[in-house]
């Protein structure tokens, strides 16, 4: 297993491991594939418009992350 060759990776925090995954993924993708798909941009634009119409309906990242983690357990 590759982690046996890289014991320092096992000592990384959860967030650091996710950052490592993101960095490795970006290294593997050709630059042109880093552009988001049009449907993703459209979805994000729609969500931003909804947030701008009603900012109080949103949640701070810390709360959203807690709900996401609780749902995964």
């Amino acid at each position: 297993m590759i982690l046996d060759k890289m014991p320092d990776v096992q000592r990384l925090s959860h967030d650091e491991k996710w950052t490592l995954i993101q960095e490795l993924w970006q290294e593997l993708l050709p630059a042109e594939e880093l552009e988001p798909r049009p449907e993703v941009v459209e979805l994000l634009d729609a969500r931003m418009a909804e947030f701008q119409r009603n900012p109080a309906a949103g949640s701070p990242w810390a709360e959203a992350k807690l709900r996401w983690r609780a749902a995964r357990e």
Side-chain angles (χ1 to χ4, degrees):
M1 187 169 183
I2 199 163
L3 287 177
D4 294 335
K5 297 177 186 178
M6 303 171 69
D8 290 340
V9 172
Q10 295 173 336
R11 290 190 277 274
L12 295 174
S13 71
H14 184 79
D15 289 340
E16 289 170 326
K17 287 177 182 174
W18 275 113
T19 300
L20 175 61
I21 289 169
Q22 291 169 344
E23 290 176 3
L24 289 171
W25 185 253
Q26 288 177 353
E27 286 288 320
L28 292 171
L29 291 177
E32 65 273 2
E33 289 187 37
L34 294 177
E35 291 296 319
R37 296 187 319 259
E39 62 270 21
V40 172
V41 173
E42 185 178 323
L43 176 62
L44 291 173
D45 287 343
R47 289 183 178 177
M48 178 58 79
E50 177 61 32
F51 169 74
Q52 289 172 336
R53 281 191 296 277
N54 188 8
S59 300
W61 169 240
E63 290 177 19
K65 188 164 76 169
L66 286 173
R67 283 197 313 273
W68 177 78
R69 284 186 174 163
R72 298 193 74 204
E73 292 178 353

